[in-house]
Amino acid sequence: MKRDSSKVLFDRAKQVIPGGVNSPVRAFRAVGGNPLFMSHARGAYLFDEDGNQFIDMINSWGPMILGHAHPVVEEAVKKALAGSPSFGAPTRREVEMAELICALVPSIEQVRMVNSGTEATMAAIRVARGYTGRDKIIKMEGCYHGHADSFLIAAGSGAMTFGVPDSPGVTKGVANDTLTVPFNNLTAVENTLKENEGQVAALILEPVVGNMGCVVPAEGYLQGLRKLCTQYGVVLIFDEVMTGFRLALGGAQELYGVKPDMTTLGKIVGGGLPVGAYGGKKEIMSCVSPAGPVYQAGTLSGNPLAMAAGMALLTYLKDHPEVYKNINNAGSRLATGLLAQAKAAGVKASVNQVGSMFTLFFTDVVVTDYDSAKKSDTVLFGKYFQRMLEQGIYLAPSQFEAMFISNTLGEKELDKILEASELSFKDLSN
Ligand code: KE4
């Protein structure tokens, strides 16, 4: 039986799903054209419903760090599935997963599993508010922490892509409790803390930003935030949903040697299944119900299937440190190569890279925060995206995302990406 093409599927999808997608950034609105509907994936490759093959540079927005359908994860999930995917009762796997996360992430003494990055960040700020008795939070312009109301103020990722960094539907009351400051600006943070002394419960940020595109913390910035949060009694929350287990086994906090009070996790922690987690100092986490009064719950939190996938992936990463060397080398090779190609073609570009996270910005301005990221030529990015797609390279469909490299990018794939990119830049400059 002939299967519907991506085009037909998208027409059908738009009848029954808002915008035809279950997450906005997938809709290709920022890059033009219709989204491709994927049928399956394996290793470094995606296969769409029309039989086309693509080298995957999204990897489910981060989780597929070992590539698609890795046997270690697949075997673990099959085994767990045989025992029923969920009971809603405590299980051995949850204990083992919590012990593993506490062992790997420097700042985490206790952790609670949830079902998405949004749930993790939403819960983390509630706990910080319950622990401090304060109402306000500080977030950075352009950082994205999921779609909870408190974060849809000057938000990055899809919100930035579609020009709705302050979403309708977020009440003034909620918005008033979210203070925003530019990333990489310690003075702005100190002034905001002074002006709101005794009212700020938490400061939350992506320690290396992925959701404005990749933006790197300036020398001493994270250390400065640590000092200010300690001085003002503010809970410092590193949102490591993207950087966790990607930049290092212990995340950005291991890489930069800065210990937050709480950490949020997602993506890689679930091995491709819906998992999020939040954790931190025992003193703070002991406020969480039923140990303490701050309520947070979830029907499928810590379910056996998701724990099996996450445990298998994290254990593999722990036992194979060479994965980080491989993906970091791939990140450097691509970041340097793409930038050189852009310059050779006379295309204005700059690049930010930390290990396997990088973004090529279509501006010659060095991108250090939201305002400089917004200087990028998103129309030109869209044209580049489409040319790469035509040549079988599937990039994130937004200038304001990082590349997500998997360990299955070998010489062949890297050469193909660079070759396709060189052609794309040449077309852009004609
Ligand atoms: P989820 O609720 O989408 O699992 O996680 C939200 C989240 C929280 N914190 C950070 C740092 C994140 O990057 C995310 C989600 N990332 C986006 C991609 N930049 C998810 C992709 C999408 O929205 O479809």
Side-chain angles (χ1 to χ4, degrees), residues 95-139:
V95 182
E96 291 166 352
M97 181 65 148
E99 288 170 341
L100 183 58
I101 290 172
C102 291
L104 297 181
V105 185
S107 66
I108 296 184
E109 295 171 350
Q110 278 202 335
V111 63
R112 167 64 63 84
M113 303 312 295
V114 290
N115 301 286
S116 70
T118 295
E119 267 196 84
T121 54
M122 186 170 74
I125 60 165
R126 182 184 308 140
V127 173
R129 285 171 163 152
Y131 172 70
T132 59
R134 301 176 180 179
D135 292 344
K136 294 186 186 301
I137 63 162
I138 296 176
K139 78 173 283 290

